[in-house]
Amino acid sequence: MVHAMSWQLEEWANDPLVHNVIVVGSGHRGLCSGGDIKKVRDILIDTSASPHEAIGFWTAEYALDALTATYPKPYIPIMDGVTMGGGAGISAHGALRIATHTTAFAMPETIIGFFPDVGLMHELGAMPGELGMYLALTGATINGGDAVRLNVADHLIPHDLLDQALTHAGEADLEALRALCRIDDTPASPSVREHLAWIDACFVGDDVTAMISALRHRPEPEAGAAADALTARSPWALTVTAHALRRAQRAEDLQAVLRQDAYLARHFMEHPDFVEGVRARLVDKGSQPQWLHATPADVPDAELMNLFAGGPLP
């Protein structure tokens, strides 16, 4: 699918009959990955397969994400329903990103022993306060309103106006599409920003152990729930993600973040938490993963120093 989509976008880029590209998911979960992750795990546990095949997938996927961000024609993802993982990657960097009232946006990769990739640390790192760190580590889901507020979407439309939006986009009538979006650009739906006080207080720095401790000392029940979410996730993935996000905040642009993603993905392929996390979450659904390290405090500093040695990642 990654190769087919990349090929088609390249074909359309030079086609004078194509004015813009609309991306929609098939069904409520159409912009949510999972099958790709299971396939990569199958490659890694297959002794007859080459790990380069798995690395090749990430390379192709990140190239597609980069293409969506630099596409010469309006690239319009409509994030209706669940938008996560690879689905978020082909959506969040577009030119005119549309969310709806059914949008459920998240990057939950730490629960499978991976990290928020597909360039999303570029957007997460630019969010106000420590919201990006909170979302990156906990994998919490935000609604369509927050997707707009936190700049992973540009506009929000009511779900029942989706057919009209698709019609305007298909007719390349972008002004009519924007006018339709203005109906509900600033929704009054509940916002994760209401919890900014404890999130900002607890998700500072890059020490996950300190974050969990700070969350346990907060009176808000949501803070305790966030601590529980962190303790269920891969300590290795959490620790690397925290450091990688801080680096992404200093990155020059999306391309630099995608280069960091490619570098990290190769290393995660060699770490047992990825294979174990995918098994527990996506293969033997609901089983308890056995992470390599018991807690983030048990992740050796030397491992992080070796991973992030040499200054900015290539």
Side-chain angles (χ1 to χ4, degrees):
M1 187 181 289
V2 166
H3 288 294
M5 187 172 177
S6 299
W7 177 87
Q8 188 65 78
L9 285 173
E10 289 165 1
E11 287 288 305
W12 283 339
N14 300 311
D15 187 338
L17 298 179
V18 175
H19 298 283
N20 59 314
V21 173
I22 312 155
V23 178
V24 294
S26 177
H28 181 69
R29 299 183 62 85
L31 286 171
C32 178
S33 277
D36 56 344
I37 297 295
K38 288 191 284 187
K39 177 62 176 177
V40 169
R41 177 184 180 271
D42 290 343
I43 294 169
L44 294 175
I45 63 176
D46 183 353
T47 57
S48 65
S50 169
H52 293 291
E53 187 178 346
I55 295 169
F57 167 72
W58 304 122
T59 302
E61 183 181 25
Y62 302 156
L64 172 60
D65 298 328
L67 179 59
T68 67
T70 58
Y71 202 63
K73 299 177 180 181
Y75 177 92
I76 307 170
I78 298 183
M79 297 179 277
D80 189 52
V82 179
T83 307
M84 299 182 183
I90 60 169
S91 302
H93 314 306
L96 183 60
R97 306 161 300 173
I98 297 174
T100 76
H101 289 161
T102 71
T103 297
F105 188 99
M107 290 299 290
E109 282 73 13
T110 55
I111 196 67
I112 58 166
F114 202 53
F115 68 101
D117 61 337
V118 295
L120 256 294
M121 287 198 199
H122 179 68
E123 282 79 12
L124 291 168
M127 289 181 180
E130 300 298 343
L131 280 171
M133 183 66 77
Y134 162 74
L135 295 175
L137 296 182
T138 64
T141 301
I142 59 174
N143 59 29
D146 270 342
V148 174
R149 297 182 186 105
L150 300 180
N151 198 34
V152 291
D154 300 301
H155 298 288
L156 180 79
I157 62 171
H159 177 76
D160 57 8
L161 295 182
L162 184 57
D163 286 344
Q164 291 184 48
L166 288 170
T167 297
H168 291 317
E171 295 172 347
D173 191 349
L174 300 190
E175 287 308 310
L177 178 59
R178 290 188 176 95
L180 187 67
C181 291
R182 283 193 288 272
I183 293 174
D184 203 351
D185 251 354
T186 54
S189 56
S191 174
V192 69
R193 296 185 306 174
E194 297 171 5
H195 304 292
L196 197 56
W198 63 263
I199 289 174
D200 279 358
C202 297
F203 284 88
V204 294
D206 54 21
D207 185 338
V208 179
T209 300
M211 294 176 192
I212 295 173
S213 177
L215 289 166
R216 294 295 189 201
H217 285 87
R218 294 290 300 195
E220 298 89 349
E222 296 85 358
D228 292 341
L230 293 180
T231 56
R233 282 154 168 74
S234 159
W236 163 255
L238 289 174
T239 305
V240 173
T241 295
H243 284 76
L245 182 58
R246 294 305 180 207
R247 286 178 164 243
Q249 289 175 319
R250 303 192 298 269
E252 198 173 297
D253 52 22
L254 172 63
Q255 304 300 326
V257 175
L258 285 167
R259 288 195 297 272
Q260 173 172 265
D261 288 350
Y263 173 88
L264 291 176
R266 290 196 298 271
H267 286 271
F268 270 83
M269 295 302 92
E270 301 169 357
H271 198 279
D273 276 13
F274 174 74
V275 169
E276 173 63 7
V278 176
R279 177 203 64 77
R281 187 73 176 181
L282 299 177
V283 180
D284 304 331
K285 298 179 180 180
S287 68
Q288 190 69 29
Q290 300 298 313
W291 306 122
L292 180 62
H293 306 291
T295 70
D298 296 317
V299 178
D301 290 340
E303 287 189 26
L304 292 176
M305 290 179 63
N306 290 337
L307 181 61
F308 291 107
L313 295 176

PDB file of all heavy atoms in Angstrom, residues 96-99 101 144-149 153-158 177-189:
ATOM      1  N   LEU A  96      -4.074  20.725   3.609  1.00  0.00           N
ATOM      2  CA  LEU A  96      -5.369  21.123   4.160  1.00  0.00           C
ATOM      3  C   LEU A  96      -5.938  19.918   4.897  1.00  0.00           C
ATOM      4  O   LEU A  96      -6.568  19.039   4.311  1.00  0.00           O
ATOM      5  CB  LEU A  96      -6.315  21.565   3.031  1.00  0.00           C
ATOM      6  CG  LEU A  96      -7.694  22.071   3.460  1.00  0.00           C
ATOM      7  CD1 LEU A  96      -7.563  23.289   4.372  1.00  0.00           C
ATOM      8  CD2 LEU A  96      -8.539  22.416   2.240  1.00  0.00           C
ATOM      9  N   ARG A  97      -5.698  19.880   6.208  1.00  0.00           N
ATOM     10  CA  ARG A  97      -6.010  18.703   7.017  1.00  0.00           C
ATOM     11  C   ARG A  97      -7.350  18.910   7.705  1.00  0.00           C
ATOM     12  O   ARG A  97      -7.522  19.867   8.462  1.00  0.00           O
ATOM     13  CB  ARG A  97      -4.901  18.476   8.039  1.00  0.00           C
ATOM     14  CG  ARG A  97      -3.510  18.397   7.415  1.00  0.00           C
ATOM     15  CD  ARG A  97      -2.411  18.633   8.441  1.00  0.00           C
ATOM     16  NE  ARG A  97      -2.534  19.949   9.047  1.00  0.00           N
ATOM     17  CZ  ARG A  97      -1.781  20.376  10.076  1.00  0.00           C
ATOM     18  NH1 ARG A  97      -0.862  19.582  10.597  1.00  0.00           N
ATOM     19  NH2 ARG A  97      -1.949  21.598  10.563  1.00  0.00           N
ATOM     20  N   ILE A  98      -8.273  17.992   7.466  1.00  0.00           N
ATOM     21  CA  ILE A  98      -9.636  18.156   7.960  1.00  0.00           C
ATOM     22  C   ILE A  98      -9.968  17.057   8.961  1.00  0.00           C
ATOM     23  O   ILE A  98      -9.789  15.870   8.692  1.00  0.00           O
ATOM     24  CB  ILE A  98     -10.638  18.137   6.794  1.00  0.00           C
ATOM     25  CG1 ILE A  98     -10.365  19.336   5.872  1.00  0.00           C
ATOM     26  CG2 ILE A  98     -12.073  18.174   7.316  1.00  0.00           C
ATOM     27  CD1 ILE A  98     -11.196  19.331   4.618  1.00  0.00           C
ATOM     28  N   ALA A  99     -10.451  17.475  10.122  1.00  0.00           N
ATOM     29  CA  ALA A  99     -10.932  16.545  11.139  1.00  0.00           C
ATOM     30  C   ALA A  99     -12.453  16.641  11.202  1.00  0.00           C
ATOM     31  O   ALA A  99     -13.057  17.599  10.700  1.00  0.00           O
ATOM     32  CB  ALA A  99     -10.325  16.882  12.497  1.00  0.00           C
ATOM     33  N   HIS A 101     -16.128  15.359  13.792  1.00  0.00           N
ATOM     34  CA  HIS A 101     -16.526  15.105  15.173  1.00  0.00           C
ATOM     35  C   HIS A 101     -16.293  13.654  15.585  1.00  0.00           C
ATOM     36  O   HIS A 101     -16.448  13.322  16.769  1.00  0.00           O
ATOM     37  CB  HIS A 101     -18.000  15.472  15.362  1.00  0.00           C
ATOM     38  CG  HIS A 101     -18.231  16.952  15.333  1.00  0.00           C
ATOM     39  ND1 HIS A 101     -19.450  17.520  15.107  1.00  0.00           N
ATOM     40  CD2 HIS A 101     -17.381  17.996  15.480  1.00  0.00           C
ATOM     41  CE1 HIS A 101     -19.364  18.827  15.124  1.00  0.00           C
ATOM     42  NE2 HIS A 101     -18.110  19.138  15.344  1.00  0.00           N
ATOM     43  N   GLY A 144     -11.429  15.581  17.442  1.00  0.00           N
ATOM     44  CA  GLY A 144     -11.218  16.445  16.298  1.00  0.00           C
ATOM     45  C   GLY A 144     -10.985  17.891  16.671  1.00  0.00           C
ATOM     46  O   GLY A 144     -10.187  18.589  16.036  1.00  0.00           O
ATOM     47  N   GLY A 145     -11.685  18.365  17.703  1.00  0.00           N
ATOM     48  CA  GLY A 145     -11.486  19.735  18.141  1.00  0.00           C
ATOM     49  C   GLY A 145     -10.064  19.983  18.592  1.00  0.00           C
ATOM     50  O   GLY A 145      -9.433  20.984  18.226  1.00  0.00           O
ATOM     51  N   ASP A 146      -9.529  19.058  19.388  1.00  0.00           N
ATOM     52  CA  ASP A 146      -8.150  19.211  19.849  1.00  0.00           C
ATOM     53  C   ASP A 146      -7.153  19.008  18.723  1.00  0.00           C
ATOM     54  O   ASP A 146      -6.068  19.592  18.724  1.00  0.00           O
ATOM     55  CB  ASP A 146      -7.853  18.239  20.990  1.00  0.00           C
ATOM     56  CG  ASP A 146      -8.171  18.845  22.348  1.00  0.00           C
ATOM     57  OD1 ASP A 146      -8.282  20.081  22.434  1.00  0.00           O
ATOM     58  OD2 ASP A 146      -8.320  18.092  23.317  1.00  0.00           O
ATOM     59  N   ALA A 147      -7.491  18.188  17.747  1.00  0.00           N
ATOM     60  CA  ALA A 147      -6.608  18.023  16.596  1.00  0.00           C
ATOM     61  C   ALA A 147      -6.377  19.366  15.910  1.00  0.00           C
ATOM     62  O   ALA A 147      -5.265  19.682  15.473  1.00  0.00           O
ATOM     63  CB  ALA A 147      -7.189  17.009  15.615  1.00  0.00           C
ATOM     64  N   VAL A 148      -7.439  20.189  15.842  1.00  0.00           N
ATOM     65  CA  VAL A 148      -7.311  21.529  15.272  1.00  0.00           C
ATOM     66  C   VAL A 148      -6.559  22.443  16.230  1.00  0.00           C
ATOM     67  O   VAL A 148      -5.626  23.150  15.838  1.00  0.00           O
ATOM     68  CB  VAL A 148      -8.707  22.111  14.945  1.00  0.00           C
ATOM     69  CG1 VAL A 148      -8.590  23.566  14.491  1.00  0.00           C
ATOM     70  CG2 VAL A 148      -9.389  21.276  13.862  1.00  0.00           C
ATOM     71  N   ARG A 149      -6.944  22.423  17.494  1.00  0.00           N
ATOM     72  CA  ARG A 149      -6.312  23.307  18.476  1.00  0.00           C
ATOM     73  C   ARG A 149      -4.814  23.049  18.597  1.00  0.00           C
ATOM     74  O   ARG A 149      -4.028  23.964  18.836  1.00  0.00           O
ATOM     75  CB  ARG A 149      -6.965  23.110  19.843  1.00  0.00           C
ATOM     76  CG  ARG A 149      -8.435  23.474  19.920  1.00  0.00           C
ATOM     77  CD  ARG A 149      -8.958  23.272  21.331  1.00  0.00           C
ATOM     78  NE  ARG A 149     -10.394  23.473  21.410  1.00  0.00           N
ATOM     79  CZ  ARG A 149     -11.283  22.494  21.516  1.00  0.00           C
ATOM     80  NH1 ARG A 149     -10.871  21.229  21.549  1.00  0.00           N
ATOM     81  NH2 ARG A 149     -12.569  22.751  21.583  1.00  0.00           N
ATOM     82  N   ALA A 153      -4.444  19.173  12.694  1.00  0.00           N
ATOM     83  CA  ALA A 153      -5.487  19.362  11.677  1.00  0.00           C
ATOM     84  C   ALA A 153      -5.699  20.864  11.524  1.00  0.00           C
ATOM     85  O   ALA A 153      -5.331  21.646  12.412  1.00  0.00           O
ATOM     86  CB  ALA A 153      -6.787  18.673  12.078  1.00  0.00           C
ATOM     87  N   ASP A 154      -6.260  21.254  10.400  1.00  0.00           N
ATOM     88  CA  ASP A 154      -6.482  22.671  10.134  1.00  0.00           C
ATOM     89  C   ASP A 154      -7.929  23.095  10.349  1.00  0.00           C
ATOM     90  O   ASP A 154      -8.191  24.239  10.728  1.00  0.00           O
ATOM     91  CB  ASP A 154      -6.080  23.001   8.687  1.00  0.00           C
ATOM     92  CG  ASP A 154      -4.617  22.710   8.426  1.00  0.00           C
ATOM     93  OD1 ASP A 154      -3.774  23.296   9.121  1.00  0.00           O
ATOM     94  OD2 ASP A 154      -4.332  21.877   7.536  1.00  0.00           O
ATOM     95  N   HIS A 155      -8.859  22.197  10.081  1.00  0.00           N
ATOM     96  CA  HIS A 155     -10.276  22.540  10.164  1.00  0.00           C
ATOM     97  C   HIS A 155     -11.059  21.365  10.732  1.00  0.00           C
ATOM     98  O   HIS A 155     -10.647  20.208  10.618  1.00  0.00           O
ATOM     99  CB  HIS A 155     -10.840  22.884   8.790  1.00  0.00           C
ATOM    100  CG  HIS A 155     -10.202  24.072   8.143  1.00  0.00           C
ATOM    101  ND1 HIS A 155     -10.400  25.366   8.567  1.00  0.00           N
ATOM    102  CD2 HIS A 155      -9.345  24.148   7.091  1.00  0.00           C
ATOM    103  CE1 HIS A 155      -9.706  26.201   7.809  1.00  0.00           C
ATOM    104  NE2 HIS A 155      -9.057  25.483   6.908  1.00  0.00           N
ATOM    105  N   LEU A 156     -12.202  21.707  11.312  1.00  0.00           N
ATOM    106  CA  LEU A 156     -13.126  20.691  11.816  1.00  0.00           C
ATOM    107  C   LEU A 156     -14.467  20.873  11.125  1.00  0.00           C
ATOM    108  O   LEU A 156     -14.953  21.997  10.992  1.00  0.00           O
ATOM    109  CB  LEU A 156     -13.308  20.830  13.324  1.00  0.00           C
ATOM    110  CG  LEU A 156     -14.245  19.816  13.980  1.00  0.00           C
ATOM    111  CD1 LEU A 156     -13.541  18.484  14.170  1.00  0.00           C
ATOM    112  CD2 LEU A 156     -14.753  20.324  15.327  1.00  0.00           C
ATOM    113  N   ILE A 157     -15.044  19.782  10.659  1.00  0.00           N
ATOM    114  CA  ILE A 157     -16.391  19.839  10.096  1.00  0.00           C
ATOM    115  C   ILE A 157     -17.272  18.839  10.836  1.00  0.00           C
ATOM    116  O   ILE A 157     -16.799  17.810  11.311  1.00  0.00           O
ATOM    117  CB  ILE A 157     -16.406  19.535   8.582  1.00  0.00           C
ATOM    118  CG1 ILE A 157     -15.901  18.115   8.311  1.00  0.00           C
ATOM    119  CG2 ILE A 157     -15.616  20.567   7.797  1.00  0.00           C
ATOM    120  CD1 ILE A 157     -16.087  17.672   6.868  1.00  0.00           C
ATOM    121  N   PRO A 158     -18.554  19.141  10.939  1.00  0.00           N
ATOM    122  CA  PRO A 158     -19.475  18.137  11.499  1.00  0.00           C
ATOM    123  C   PRO A 158     -19.458  16.881  10.636  1.00  0.00           C
ATOM    124  O   PRO A 158     -19.352  16.960   9.406  1.00  0.00           O
ATOM    125  CB  PRO A 158     -20.837  18.835  11.446  1.00  0.00           C
ATOM    126  CG  PRO A 158     -20.516  20.299  11.391  1.00  0.00           C
ATOM    127  CD  PRO A 158     -19.240  20.403  10.622  1.00  0.00           C
ATOM    128  N   LEU A 177     -14.874  24.520   0.204  1.00  0.00           N
ATOM    129  CA  LEU A 177     -14.502  23.573   1.253  1.00  0.00           C
ATOM    130  C   LEU A 177     -14.115  24.311   2.525  1.00  0.00           C
ATOM    131  O   LEU A 177     -14.543  23.959   3.622  1.00  0.00           O
ATOM    132  CB  LEU A 177     -13.338  22.699   0.769  1.00  0.00           C
ATOM    133  CG  LEU A 177     -12.795  21.686   1.767  1.00  0.00           C
ATOM    134  CD1 LEU A 177     -13.888  20.714   2.204  1.00  0.00           C
ATOM    135  CD2 LEU A 177     -11.626  20.916   1.153  1.00  0.00           C
ATOM    136  N   ARG A 178     -13.318  25.372   2.381  1.00  0.00           N
ATOM    137  CA  ARG A 178     -12.921  26.148   3.563  1.00  0.00           C
ATOM    138  C   ARG A 178     -14.125  26.826   4.204  1.00  0.00           C
ATOM    139  O   ARG A 178     -14.217  26.934   5.429  1.00  0.00           O
ATOM    140  CB  ARG A 178     -11.855  27.173   3.186  1.00  0.00           C
ATOM    141  CG  ARG A 178     -10.501  26.558   2.850  1.00  0.00           C
ATOM    142  CD  ARG A 178      -9.431  27.630   2.677  1.00  0.00           C
ATOM    143  NE  ARG A 178      -8.123  27.055   2.461  1.00  0.00           N
ATOM    144  CZ  ARG A 178      -7.587  26.844   1.261  1.00  0.00           C
ATOM    145  NH1 ARG A 178      -8.260  27.168   0.161  1.00  0.00           N
ATOM    146  NH2 ARG A 178      -6.386  26.314   1.152  1.00  0.00           N
ATOM    147  N   ALA A 179     -15.049  27.294   3.395  1.00  0.00           N
ATOM    148  CA  ALA A 179     -16.255  27.921   3.932  1.00  0.00           C
ATOM    149  C   ALA A 179     -17.070  26.907   4.731  1.00  0.00           C
ATOM    150  O   ALA A 179     -17.620  27.223   5.787  1.00  0.00           O
ATOM    151  CB  ALA A 179     -17.094  28.496   2.794  1.00  0.00           C
ATOM    152  N   LEU A 180     -17.146  25.688   4.232  1.00  0.00           N
ATOM    153  CA  LEU A 180     -17.852  24.637   4.950  1.00  0.00           C
ATOM    154  C   LEU A 180     -17.163  24.339   6.278  1.00  0.00           C
ATOM    155  O   LEU A 180     -17.820  24.148   7.309  1.00  0.00           O
ATOM    156  CB  LEU A 180     -17.902  23.374   4.089  1.00  0.00           C
ATOM    157  CG  LEU A 180     -18.752  22.202   4.602  1.00  0.00           C
ATOM    158  CD1 LEU A 180     -20.224  22.577   4.587  1.00  0.00           C
ATOM    159  CD2 LEU A 180     -18.513  20.964   3.758  1.00  0.00           C
ATOM    160  N   CYS A 181     -15.848  24.353   6.256  1.00  0.00           N
ATOM    161  CA  CYS A 181     -15.096  24.087   7.477  1.00  0.00           C
ATOM    162  C   CYS A 181     -15.325  25.175   8.522  1.00  0.00           C
ATOM    163  O   CYS A 181     -15.325  24.901   9.728  1.00  0.00           O
ATOM    164  CB  CYS A 181     -13.603  24.002   7.162  1.00  0.00           C
ATOM    165  SG  CYS A 181     -13.117  22.557   6.200  1.00  0.00           S
ATOM    166  N   ARG A 182     -15.517  26.413   8.072  1.00  0.00           N
ATOM    167  CA  ARG A 182     -15.664  27.516   9.026  1.00  0.00           C
ATOM    168  C   ARG A 182     -16.950  27.418   9.839  1.00  0.00           C
ATOM    169  O   ARG A 182     -17.121  28.144  10.813  1.00  0.00           O
ATOM    170  CB  ARG A 182     -15.600  28.854   8.287  1.00  0.00           C
ATOM    171  CG  ARG A 182     -14.181  29.254   7.903  1.00  0.00           C
ATOM    172  CD  ARG A 182     -14.119  30.714   7.475  1.00  0.00           C
ATOM    173  NE  ARG A 182     -14.738  30.947   6.185  1.00  0.00           N
ATOM    174  CZ  ARG A 182     -14.101  30.846   5.026  1.00  0.00           C
ATOM    175  NH1 ARG A 182     -12.816  30.500   5.006  1.00  0.00           N
ATOM    176  NH2 ARG A 182     -14.719  31.092   3.893  1.00  0.00           N
ATOM    177  N   ILE A 183     -17.835  26.521   9.447  1.00  0.00           N
ATOM    178  CA  ILE A 183     -19.054  26.305  10.224  1.00  0.00           C
ATOM    179  C   ILE A 183     -18.712  25.907  11.660  1.00  0.00           C
ATOM    180  O   ILE A 183     -19.373  26.279  12.612  1.00  0.00           O
ATOM    181  CB  ILE A 183     -19.939  25.222   9.566  1.00  0.00           C
ATOM    182  CG1 ILE A 183     -20.479  25.738   8.231  1.00  0.00           C
ATOM    183  CG2 ILE A 183     -21.082  24.803  10.488  1.00  0.00           C
ATOM    184  CD1 ILE A 183     -21.240  24.677   7.433  1.00  0.00           C
ATOM    185  N   ASP A 184     -17.645  25.150  11.824  1.00  0.00           N
ATOM    186  CA  ASP A 184     -17.364  24.585  13.146  1.00  0.00           C
ATOM    187  C   ASP A 184     -15.859  24.507  13.386  1.00  0.00           C
ATOM    188  O   ASP A 184     -15.335  23.492  13.805  1.00  0.00           O
ATOM    189  CB  ASP A 184     -17.977  23.183  13.252  1.00  0.00           C
ATOM    190  CG  ASP A 184     -18.220  22.785  14.703  1.00  0.00           C
ATOM    191  OD1 ASP A 184     -17.751  23.520  15.590  1.00  0.00           O
ATOM    192  OD2 ASP A 184     -18.859  21.762  14.935  1.00  0.00           O
ATOM    193  N   ASP A 185     -15.165  25.611  13.133  1.00  0.00           N
ATOM    194  CA  ASP A 185     -13.712  25.603  13.309  1.00  0.00           C
ATOM    195  C   ASP A 185     -13.283  25.651  14.772  1.00  0.00           C
ATOM    196  O   ASP A 185     -12.198  25.226  15.125  1.00  0.00           O
ATOM    197  CB  ASP A 185     -13.093  26.795  12.570  1.00  0.00           C
ATOM    198  CG  ASP A 185     -12.332  26.352  11.335  1.00  0.00           C
ATOM    199  OD1 ASP A 185     -12.198  25.136  11.148  1.00  0.00           O
ATOM    200  OD2 ASP A 185     -11.873  27.215  10.586  1.00  0.00           O
ATOM    201  N   THR A 186     -14.094  26.234  15.639  1.00  0.00           N
ATOM    202  CA  THR A 186     -13.706  26.388  17.037  1.00  0.00           C
ATOM    203  C   THR A 186     -14.760  25.738  17.926  1.00  0.00           C
ATOM    204  O   THR A 186     -15.574  26.415  18.557  1.00  0.00           O
ATOM    205  CB  THR A 186     -13.545  27.873  17.398  1.00  0.00           C
ATOM    206  OG1 THR A 186     -14.758  28.561  17.043  1.00  0.00           O
ATOM    207  CG2 THR A 186     -12.385  28.485  16.644  1.00  0.00           C
ATOM    208  N   PRO A 187     -14.769  24.414  17.971  1.00  0.00           N
ATOM    209  CA  PRO A 187     -15.808  23.696  18.716  1.00  0.00           C
ATOM    210  C   PRO A 187     -15.661  23.850  20.224  1.00  0.00           C
ATOM    211  O   PRO A 187     -14.581  24.135  20.734  1.00  0.00           O
ATOM    212  CB  PRO A 187     -15.573  22.243  18.301  1.00  0.00           C
ATOM    213  CG  PRO A 187     -14.106  22.186  18.026  1.00  0.00           C
ATOM    214  CD  PRO A 187     -13.771  23.511  17.392  1.00  0.00           C
ATOM    215  N   ALA A 188     -16.762  23.668  20.916  1.00  0.00           N
ATOM    216  CA  ALA A 188     -16.752  23.761  22.377  1.00  0.00           C
ATOM    217  C   ALA A 188     -16.612  22.395  23.026  1.00  0.00           C
ATOM    218  O   ALA A 188     -16.973  22.211  24.176  1.00  0.00           O
ATOM    219  CB  ALA A 188     -18.040  24.433  22.846  1.00  0.00           C
ATOM    220  N   SER A 189     -16.079  21.440  22.289  1.00  0.00           N
ATOM    221  CA  SER A 189     -15.941  20.087  22.827  1.00  0.00           C
ATOM    222  C   SER A 189     -14.874  20.055  23.921  1.00  0.00           C
ATOM    223  O   SER A 189     -14.003  20.924  23.978  1.00  0.00           O
ATOM    224  CB  SER A 189     -15.561  19.122  21.702  1.00  0.00           C
ATOM    225  OG  SER A 189     -14.387  19.560  21.056  1.00  0.00           O
TER     226      SER A 189
END
